[in-house]
């Protein structure tokens, strides 16, 4: 039993942290003033977009652990590029369908794809869907992937985002969200590769959960680090506000909550490729339920520590809160996941 | 003990209700243009004034009606219930003026304050002096018969729409920090004053910062004696959100009704869990209302404002923020994808309730003092 | 509008406080070592047992406000006499049934009665009941009152506690609890006075709720006062523990919770006799829901402030917690009352 | 990274499981008589020792097996899973002895400690020195070749059943408080030692206080140098609840299963609200388990015990107390009227989890230090 990162994983963490750190948002105005295409290129060049492509044996180049390491760094930096949407979720779908060449293009950074989620953002859209769908994390993507039912089982389909989609006002300022209100003409769906097995779908969901959890763990940890740094330099009443026990305990409680979420997330990330799909999924639900249970509180605590300035639009604090809120929702909110856990736990009664 | 109106109060309330029904401008809350909205609020101030509804609890000698603060509370409550435009917030500025001003100042400033001909803001907080107000750095240097003001004020609510400002500035840097502050009555239209809106996380411009560059204020516009600024500030602050300012309770109830409708639309009313959450929000609102009524009674019976206001402030912040959490939990993806207009903005607007006007931590410190816990 | 106590009510508060103060528990061993019969006599002599008897006009001698004033004092002192059971709840039932002479005997302190509650302690037992009932707050009582259905409406019945009841191990050490497991032979029920109207029952319930709320408000306020006093004298790390902001804020939060409960309780107490029964009941549910929502937390905070010593049986802290737990449960716990409130609030949809 | 057992760990676990199945005394947890229960626990200690299961991670030279703490964790986990009698808690006393004792002391005290022939307790806390341990007042005055000890110790777990005590006493009242403390290895059977059980709010005797009246201790039973007591205490405390002591996790899971059964018996499993509450309790247990595994890995990889233990302590207290709240909410009247045996007692037993071994406030202070927040 050893739950620590290997040396290689530790190196990956440093590389990802460096890119995310230099690319990370310092304040909301960076969203429009910086060159995010360059960030995407450096992710591609470092091979970070290729983690879920397959090697000669058909195994993913990087396991769920590697994905989580990079996703956490992206969350920590609030990096507004579609790392989860394109490099993880879409790439994994393409590889599961055997469309390795398409996946390779995403990994090179020359093309981007996103995913289509159902109306409550709780999972992949599955056609024939009768109404609203969202393209999530689709910045720069020309198309998004979803599922369609077929006699051979569910298949991956691609949908062009060029028609029928309008920008939605996402709470999360760092991920592009599109909306399609009406039913999508089946003629616009292009089937990709081979049908997926039930196990494929379970593993994909486990990966999605672990990746989103790692993202929000990064969001929480870096938000808290900023609040703590502020508490060490902000003076009121002639002393550093971080010397007030009230501030210390608020930070300590948020720290415990975030670290607990991180512990559950590490396990879920490892489980993606190491455990059987049902156990991996239970680990994912558990991690996500924990993350969703604490992310709003932790980022609200951060805004509170920042005081008045932390309430302003120009400040970075609410960008953390916004990404945390959306991360908490996608692929199932706390309520939804607790009910799934209950279905597993409480059947024997 | 009687929670009901006295006959006089009931009569006042009935007249007011009728008057409001007759006078509330139709569609006022649909106005989107900011200038139009400002004009509406100013106009409403004048309309209220002409009907005698401004300064209900001010002394008669200063243009008020000398009534108990219960009448202010009734005005707040009914305005909230009938969704009238926001009431003008003249009480705390007025209190500062009629407590500390010279006779000449009173005659000059009080009538237009009451009537709405001049709009006021409060220039207290600064970037480096939020909770710790006494650390303020804006300076007012005496130069002949003027003070010259330099500095930056922040969280100046209504700064964008104000004509005048009750300004705190440091007139003596060489004495302990609470003793070197003076208060001024100053026009924000003077040269050297720059007002910049502050946009909060919701995306709305809720407040403003005000920059002061060599602004000259005649000595006779100083309020009170030199160095009396801290005392004036404390009086003002303690009346800033008095127990009669209970408009937020009616607003809370209106929001709760909306949240109940959201839950109904989503078919959640069948589920005991959501029924309980909605009932809990009702209980929180009731508890807040009843605690505020007790405070008001205490004030009416002659006790000066005290730290029990901190209890209500904490209850309010908790109720307001919990209600926005509940709305978010009900709306789910709709709130976060822009499909439920206004709710995400309301959520972010609820966050500073535990920061502005004394953070939750400061309120708890005040209560600890009241409980006589050691420093 | 005036929510403050009148001068007479203020005097009553002082009298009740004096009796409860001199009779109050200092530590659990007082439960067995002190003469509680004498306390009962001084309550009788001061007229405090007669608040719900009727004057010549048939009006209660004291309103719900007076009841709450005394009940709060009894709760604050953790006084282990059946003030609620006998002087309020049983007396009120007798007077509603027109059995004024019986009520007078209770008021004189020469006899005591309790009430029978249903299995989950949420309300009066109503015969024919098919199973377990509890005699609540029956110290020194020979009989307990309940309801029975009759063609003329519900009637008050008395049941002797001498047969068929066994002592139950109540969490609350200050109120005697008896249990009857089997069905009670109808022959053992004696009807009292006239049938009750629906309004009688609603008012009785509103009174019961207000009285229990006042009791638990007293329990919370005095527990917190003791913790605060301790924080002002206990030294650790060379300073009074009350000077730690963590302790200050724990106390402040508990204070806010208790005061909020007190505000709701005052209104509920006033409402008992002043508002129409439905509104009085809604006020009672609201107050009880608030009290039950905070009483456990507040008394747990008190135990936490007392540290190790507050965890011991010899210390008074857990006696507060125990009475608070039981008060939170009788006549409906938070869940039950929130559902009733919801039934009133959410019918218009 | 691999959360699974290595082949060696898996082999050890399999053997242990079989051994436990063969050796756990039937019906041991039904014993009501206290003396019998004490004898059972001592016997179990000896049985474990004979099978080589005591001191797994102790150095071989002191009678241990020199294994990684992961093996202690496996022992804890499997004992918990199979509901074995409580494991003997020898680690932290042993750590103090083999780190600080003389060779002669080691030879005298370690073998019977390991084998269970002597039972130990820890005499640290006092009525006036709880969180603030360094303020302890129990004195040890040098008198020839003995120390004479006077004072009172509190929260001495197992004091009623112990033969020996690791005692902290003040040997020099004239130096700063952390520097005047020494540690002693002393028999509680000496004249002048009085042990009195402390009954906690649950009604159970969970711990003890120990009175010391002119108790004479030979100088050679001092552990370490004079004044070294504080350092010894800190070492001991930091290993007192090490990351391998995860028996409480198995206990938590067992309790959760019981709570799930209670909910099922009461027909609550149809209601989403209760399903979610039970699932939330499962999540809390998992989070605690996974956080402890990370800590254990960190310890195994060579890092000394650090403040991250405070995170686990807070998670544990919260999980344990929340689970008892949930049980109480499910049981309602049954718990409060004595109809659900043991649950009210369990509730009160969960309360001091946030007090003993460093209160929740102290743990948060430690985390604040770790986060480098200013003092």
């Amino acid at each position: 039993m050893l739950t620590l990162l290997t040396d290689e994983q530790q190196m990956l963490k440093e590389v990802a942290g460096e890119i995310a750190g230099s690319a990370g948002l310092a304040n909301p105005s960076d969203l429009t003033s910086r060159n995010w295409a360059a960030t995407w290129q450096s992710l591609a060049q470092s091979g970070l977009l290729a983690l879920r492509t397959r090697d000669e044996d058909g195994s993913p180049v990087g396991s769920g652990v590697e994905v989580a390491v990079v996703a956490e760094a992206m969350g920590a930096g609030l990096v507004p590029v579609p790392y989860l949407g394109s490099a993880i979720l879409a790439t994994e779908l393409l590889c599961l369908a055997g469309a390795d060449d398409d996946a390779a293009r995403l990994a090179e950074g020359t093309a981007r794809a996103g995913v289509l989620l159902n109306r409550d953002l709780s999972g992949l859209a599955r056609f024939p869907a009768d109404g609203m769908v969202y393209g999530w994390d689709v910045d720069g993507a020309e198309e998004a992937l979803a599922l369609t039912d077929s006699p051979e089982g569910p298949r991956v389909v691609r949908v062009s985002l060029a028609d029928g989609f309008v920008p939605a006002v996402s709470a999360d300022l760092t991920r592009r969200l599109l909306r399609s209100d009406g039913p999508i003409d089946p003629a616009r769906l292009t089937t990709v590769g081979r049908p997926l097995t039930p196990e494929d779908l379970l593993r994909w969901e486990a990966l999605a959960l672990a990746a989103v959890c790692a993202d929000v763990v990064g969001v929480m940890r870096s938000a808290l680090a900023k609040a703590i740094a502020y508490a060490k330099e902000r003076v009121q009443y002639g002393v550093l506000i971080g010397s007030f026990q009230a501030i210390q305990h608020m930070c300590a409680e948020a720290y415990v909550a975030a670290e607990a979420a991180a512990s559950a997330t590490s396990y879920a990330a490892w489980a993606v490729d190491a455990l059987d799909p049902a156990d991996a999924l239970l680990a994912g639900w558990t991690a996500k339920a924990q993350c969703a249970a604490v992310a709003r509180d932790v980022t609200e605590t951060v805004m509170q520590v920042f005081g008045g300035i932390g309430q302003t639009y120009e400040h970075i604090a609410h960008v953390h809160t916004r990404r945390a809120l959306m991360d908490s929702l996608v692929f199932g909110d706390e309520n939804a996941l607790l009910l799934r856990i209950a279905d597993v736990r409480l059947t024997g009664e | 003990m009687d929670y009901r109106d006295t006959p006089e109060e009931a009569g006042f309330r009935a007249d007011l209700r009728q008057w409001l029904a007759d006078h509330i401008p139709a569609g006022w809350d649909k106005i989107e243009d900011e200038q139009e909205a400002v004009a509406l609020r100013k106009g409403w101030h004048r309309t209220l004034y002409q009907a005698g509804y401004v300064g209900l609890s001010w002394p008669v000698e200063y243009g008020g009606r000398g009534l108990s603060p219960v009448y202010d509370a009734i005005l707040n409550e009914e305005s909230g219930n009938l969704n009238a435009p926001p009431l003008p917030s003249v009480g705390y500025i007025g209190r500062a003026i009629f407590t500390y001003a010279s006779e000449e100042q009173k005659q000059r400033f009080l009538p237009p304050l009451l009537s709405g001909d001049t709009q006021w803001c409060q220039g207290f907080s600064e970037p480096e002096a939020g909770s710790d107000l006494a650390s303020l750095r804006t300076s007012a240097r005496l130069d002949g018969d003027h003070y010259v003001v330099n500095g930056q004020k922040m969280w100046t609510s209504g700064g964008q729409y104000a004509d005048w400002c009750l300004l705190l500035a440091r007139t003596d840097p060489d004495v302990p920090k609470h003793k070197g502050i003076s208060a001024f009555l100053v026009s924000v239209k003077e040269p050297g004053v720059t007002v910049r809106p502050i946009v909060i996380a919701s995306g709305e411009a809720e407040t403003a910062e005000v920059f002061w560059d060599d602004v000259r204020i005649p000595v006779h516009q100083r309020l009170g004696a030199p160095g009396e600024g801290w005392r004036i500030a404390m009086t003002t602050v303690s009346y800033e959100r008095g127990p009669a300012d209970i408009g937020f309770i009616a607003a809370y109830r209106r929001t709760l009704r909306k949240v109940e409708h959201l839950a109904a639309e989503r078919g959640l009313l069948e589920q005991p869990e959501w029924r309980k959450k909605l009932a809990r929000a009702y209980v929180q609102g009731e508890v807040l209302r009843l605690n505020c009524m007790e405070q008001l009674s205490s004030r009416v019976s002659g006790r000066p404002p005290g730290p029990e206001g901190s209890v209500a402030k904490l209850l309010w912040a908790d109720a307001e923020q919990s209600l926005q959490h509940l709305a978010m939990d009900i709306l789910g993806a709709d709130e976060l994808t822009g499909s439920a207009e206004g709710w995400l903005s309301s959520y972010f607007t609820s966050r500073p309730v535990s920061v502005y006007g004394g953070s939750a931590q400061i309120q708890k410190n005040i209560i600890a003092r009241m409980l006589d816990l050691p420093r």
Side-chain angles (χ1 to χ4, degrees), chain A, chain B:
Chain A
M1 195 278 302
L2 196 69
T3 70
L4 306 179
L5 295 182
T6 62
D7 290 347
E8 289 77 17
Q9 289 162 346
Q10 198 64 44
M11 272 176 55
L12 180 70
K13 182 176 172 147
E14 279 158 32
V15 171
E18 243 166 65
I19 296 176
S22 64
L25 284 191
N27 59 63
S29 64
D30 289 345
L31 279 168
T32 48
S33 65
R34 296 247 299 263
N35 179 3
W36 301 108
T39 304
W40 196 248
Q41 280 317 307
S42 54
L43 287 169
Q45 281 153 21
S46 316
L48 299 189
L49 303 184
L51 287 181
R52 290 311 282 192
T53 58
R54 302 304 198 250
D55 63 17
E56 312 83 64
D57 308 336
S59 305
V61 172
S63 77
V65 177
E66 279 78 14
V67 167
V69 161
V70 179
E72 183 181 334
M74 297 295 132
L78 301 169
V79 189
V81 298
Y83 185 75
L84 293 188
S86 186
I88 306 304
L89 303 180
T91 300
E92 181 76 4
L93 276 178
L94 292 172
C95 291
L96 290 172
D100 287 17
D101 291 349
D102 291 342
R105 273 191 295 280
L106 298 188
E108 286 157 13
T110 46
R112 301 185 192 183
V115 286
L116 287 192
L117 302 185
N118 55 14
R119 185 191 172 126
D120 64 2
L121 306 180
S122 66
L124 271 182
R126 193 150 174 169
F127 293 101
D130 58 355
M132 191 185 283
V133 293
Y134 287 97
W136 181 73
D137 209 17
V138 292
D139 188 50
E142 288 173 2
E143 57 188 28
L145 306 181
L147 298 176
T148 192
D149 291 327
S150 84
E152 307 86 44
R155 304 189 73 121
V156 175
V157 286
R158 65 175 91 234
V159 183
S160 165
L161 296 168
D163 292 320
F165 283 85
V166 294
V169 184
S170 175
D172 180 359
L173 304 177
T174 60
R175 284 204 177 97
R176 186 164 167 79
L177 186 72
L178 297 176
R179 196 180 73 231
S180 163
D181 288 325
I184 293 182
D185 180 356
R188 290 183 52 216
L189 308 177
T190 318
T191 305
V192 181
R194 59 173 176 252
L196 305 188
T197 67
E199 175 171 341
D200 285 342
L201 284 181
L202 296 180
R203 284 225 190 271
W204 185 88
E205 187 183 345
L207 177 70
L209 288 165
V212 171
C213 286
D215 191 273
V216 74
V217 164
V219 170
M220 287 192 278
R221 280 177 160 168
S222 71
L224 196 51
K226 288 171 192 172
I228 289 167
Y230 181 73
K232 289 180 197 171
E233 62 178 45
R234 168 80 173 173
V235 173
Q236 289 283 272
Y237 303 104
V239 297
L240 295 169
I241 64 168
S243 67
F244 290 114
Q245 202 179 26
I247 296 288
Q248 294 182 350
H249 283 200
M250 284 161 66
C251 290
E253 285 162 15
Y255 178 81
V256 170
E259 290 308 301
S263 296
T265 297
S266 289
Y267 180 69
W270 169 78
V272 169
D273 299 294
L275 297 185
D276 73 57
D279 288 339
L281 211 44
L282 178 59
W285 293 337
T286 300
K288 184 80 202 298
Q290 175 66 19
C291 287
V294 303
R296 183 166 69 186
D297 278 356
V298 167
T299 52
E300 285 177 353
T301 295
V302 167
M303 289 177 75
Q304 184 76 15
V305 170
F306 273 111
I309 198 76
Q311 309 297 327
T312 62
Y313 197 87
E314 289 180 0
H315 195 271
I316 194 71
H318 72 102
V319 187
H320 284 274
T321 307
R322 288 164 173 274
R323 185 152 166 159
L325 290 173
M326 191 59 116
D327 278 356
S328 296
L329 189 70
V330 289
F331 304 114
D333 65 6
E334 189 192 1
N335 280 324
L337 298 177
L338 289 177
L339 287 174
R340 290 193 211 169
I341 292 168
D343 289 344
V344 170
R345 291 278 301 172
L346 305 176
T347 47
E349 311 297 338
Chain B
M1 182 187 286
D2 196 335
Y3 284 78
R4 285 169 297 209
D5 287 341
T6 61
E8 295 74 27
E9 289 161 0
F12 175 85
R13 190 188 294 272
D15 292 347
L16 171 63
R17 225 178 253 177
Q18 185 58 53
W19 184 88
L20 284 170
D22 294 343
H23 290 83
I24 292 174
W28 72 271
D29 54 347
K30 303 285 180 290
I31 296 176
E32 300 222 336
D33 179 73
E34 198 180 318
Q35 291 312 314
E36 227 179 295
V38 171
L40 178 281
R41 284 205 294 276
K42 284 190 189 175
W44 184 241
H45 185 159
R46 292 202 190 93
T47 307
L48 284 164
Y49 172 74
Q50 282 150 13
Y53 286 124
V54 181
L56 292 175
S57 65
W58 287 28
V60 175
E61 55 187 304
Y62 302 128
R65 286 174 60 183
L67 295 170
S68 120
V70 170
Y71 290 83
D72 285 330
I74 293 171
L75 176 62
N76 267 274
E77 195 175 0
E78 294 302 328
S79 294
N81 287 341
L82 294 171
N83 192 24
L87 289 171
S89 184
V90 301
Y92 65 101
I93 300 273
R95 174 80 44 181
I97 295 177
F98 65 69
T99 310
Y100 294 100
S102 67
E103 201 47 44
E104 192 199 327
Q105 288 172 330
K106 288 177 192 169
Q107 292 191 7
R108 176 174 173 195
F109 292 112
L110 287 176
L113 167 62
L114 268 184
S115 67
D117 290 335
T118 57
Q119 297 292 317
W120 285 72
C121 65
Q122 170 190 302
F124 286 11
S125 294
E126 299 183 3
E128 300 298 318
S131 304
D132 179 14
L133 184 57
S135 290
L136 62 87
R137 296 176 184 181
T138 296
S139 66
R141 184 175 45 79
L142 193 58
D143 176 26
D145 58 354
H146 279 72
Y147 284 92
V148 182
V149 177
N150 281 285
Q152 180 188 353
K153 292 290 171 183
M154 225 173 159
W155 319 125
T156 302
S157 299
Q160 309 98 297
Y161 323 116
D163 307 298
W164 284 78
C165 180
L166 173 60
L167 177 74
L168 291 184
R170 189 164 301 283
T171 44
D172 187 347
D174 299 326
V175 296
K177 62 181 183 175
H178 294 80
K179 298 193 174 163
I181 300 169
S182 302
F184 299 90
L185 305 168
V186 48
S187 165
V188 293
K189 309 299 182 197
E190 294 291 333
V193 181
T194 313
V195 180
R196 200 177 81 102
I198 298 176
V199 178
I200 68 160
S202 67
E204 314 266 327
E206 282 274 317
T207 177
E209 50 192 339
V210 183
F211 299 86
W212 304 79
D213 286 319
D214 285 333
V215 179
R216 295 181 69 82
I217 310 177
V219 167
H220 62 79
Q221 283 176 218
R222 193 187 62 233
L223 180 65
E228 208 176 11
W230 182 252
R231 202 148 69 93
I232 293 173
M234 288 302 96
T235 304
T236 311
V237 167
S238 71
Y239 281 93
E240 186 176 352
R241 184 169 296 289
D245 288 343
I246 55 170
F248 63 90
I249 294 172
Y252 178 90
R253 291 168 147 194
R254 277 207 311 275
T255 308
L256 175 56
R257 277 292 177 207
K258 285 185 202 161
V259 173
E260 288 170 351
H261 282 292
L262 293 175
E265 281 166 18
R266 278 155 184 79
L268 301 178
L269 296 191
E270 303 304 305
Q271 299 179 30
E273 178 186 1
W274 293 102
R275 295 179 76 80
K276 284 193 258 181
K277 287 179 180 178
L278 291 166
R280 177 79 199 128
Y282 166 78
V283 169
Q284 283 194 281
E286 278 296 282
V287 160
L288 177 62
R289 177 177 76 87
L290 294 165
N291 188 269
C292 289
M293 284 179 84
E294 284 183 357
Q295 271 190 71
L296 179 60
S297 268
S298 164
R299 186 79 67 94
V300 169
S301 71
R303 295 181 221 167
E308 72 282 350
S310 295
V311 173
K313 180 73 199 296
L314 288 165
L315 291 175
W316 176 38
D318 189 30
E320 194 75 22
Q321 296 178 343
S322 300
L323 185 56
Q324 287 302 327
H325 280 172
L326 179 55
M328 188 181 278
D329 294 341
I330 288 170
L331 285 163
D334 287 348
E335 179 158 340
L336 302 189
T337 60
S339 302
E341 206 167 353
W343 284 100
L344 186 66
S345 171
S346 297
Y347 162 73
F348 278 113
T349 305
S350 78
R351 299 314 309 161
V353 177
S354 55
V355 174
Y356 295 160
S359 70
Q361 301 96 282
I362 300 286
Q363 307 297 349
K364 290 176 199 170
N365 288 346
I366 293 171
I367 292 170
R369 293 293 93 74
M370 179 179 62
L371 298 175
D372 202 26
L373 283 162
R375 273 175 189 274

